[in-house]
Amino acid sequence: MSDSSRDTAEGAGWGAAEPGDYRRLMPGHVEKLSWLNPRTLWAARNGVLASWFGDPTGHTRGRWVAQRAAAGVRADKVIRRDDADRFSFMVIGDTGEGDASQYAVVPGFLKTGQDTAFAVIASDVIYPVGSTDDYGPKFFRPYQDYRAPVYAVPGNHDWYEDLGAFMRVFCDDAPPLAPEPAPRPLTRAWWRALLWHRPRPADEQRLAAARTLRSAPEQRAVQPGPYWAIDAGPLRIIGIDTGLLGGIDAEQGAWLREVARGPRPKILVTGSPLYVDGEHHPCAIEGGGTVDDIVRDPDHHFVAAIGGDIHNYQRYPVDVDGRTVQYVVSGGGGAFMHATHTIPRISVGGVTERDFRCYPLRGDSLAFYSRLYGHRLRLRRFFTLTEAEATAVVAERLGIAPTRSPGAPVRITHRVRLVASLLGAGRRPERRSRFRLPVRKIYTQLFSPGSATYSPPFFKSFLRLDVTPEAIRLRCFAATGNRAQEAEPPVEDEVVIPLF
């Protein structure tokens, strides 16, 4: 087994590593995606408009669900597979940027997943706005050699063009929704409709050609809609659609309560994680209650809840009335890396630093961002921290032991401390003032890079889950973009989840 980032700096991808072969998988021309580009931000405006003028996601989702019901989809939306009691599947989140950071994940994903029954994409299949024309280079091409079905739950970016492309690709080529009457002038709905980003016409030849890349019978997957359940072996996997703003409508909530019933062990897959960055986000259901209420109900037998949206890996083993539910963030499948060094010392839901896991390690995250902004601001000598300096200063700020031993003693200078502070490194809760600027939130939302601006190590990740009647073995594998980790993807985290 190869070293992980918890073992050595080389296992994390630092040092004079040989680049991997992932670039040969990429198309000849790759459009660079930057979230600092005003055109990209304007195209992705619908989330902001929904928060200002009201969120139409629930209404639109209801129309999609009604259309699929009219086409004969079963009301329970359960996909019944014939997998044996022992099988494996993959989970990968936030995949679709179509550039090096996505394709760097592919070799390890294929190697690790070659004997799995299916895969699930947890959130944001396509960036920036879920366009039909982007499915070729960002879905069909990278996963053409994965010889099993791929199911998906949409993320907010898939909703930026009203989910039309997602429904075509994953839901049996669902036709577009019929236009609705214009809203009354000068109402909130009218202003929203006036400014709303609309999908551009699709290039049908381009889509047809892309579909041929995953056209083998064993790759075929048809799901009943944007939310669904899969019965596979002893397990039920339930995928929910949290739309633009991270909640679910009353109709989906009623369906979720129904399919969650019964003694069968269950895993939730969601576009919005329930525990993330040291905080609890239970996910409101229109009309009352939360998704986490359903997960925690002992009669529903959930053993894990896996969410995308945040582009890294985190795991929170939460005690719920004497049983442990594993709350996992798995959004490291291809988009730019969200920082982990901004996560404060963990104390949430009874989980502490002792049990919390994340990838990349906070020190590697800080070292990565220090190099990135040293380059971007042309202040390399000031900003750049070694991985050993970053590991040491993170441990000092959080009051914890270094996750990976830095080797020789490291001197933490005023410069190192200042850079860590400027880049939003987390602190112990007792050292955070209520008057302090929300550095972590500003940093994460405004200064996260477009992945086209950096090179390996990428610190990407994906999951493999091995299911037996007794337990699920969940492993998080790393993808750095380096040849060593391509040849043998390191295991960054592993947990065995009892089913009874």
Side-chain angles (χ1 to χ4, degrees), residues 465-481:
L465 292 90
D466 301 304
V467 181
T468 71
E470 298 77 32
I472 299 171
R473 181 190 187 196
L474 183 153
R475 286 176 288 171
C476 172
F477 289 87
T480 67

Side-chain angles (χ1 to χ4, degrees), residues 321-368:
D321 299 326
R323 63 192 177 91
T324 299
V325 178
Q326 299 289 343
Y327 291 87
V328 175
V329 179
S330 182
F336 69 84
M337 182 192 80
H338 275 134
T340 57
H341 67 265
T342 59
I343 301 173
R345 180 167 172 160
I346 294 299
S347 180
V348 62
V351 180
T352 65
E353 280 291 328
R354 183 185 66 181
D355 300 314
F356 170 69
R357 295 291 184 271
C358 69
Y359 176 78
L361 301 179
R362 292 181 177 103
D364 289 329
S365 170
L366 179 58
F368 171 91

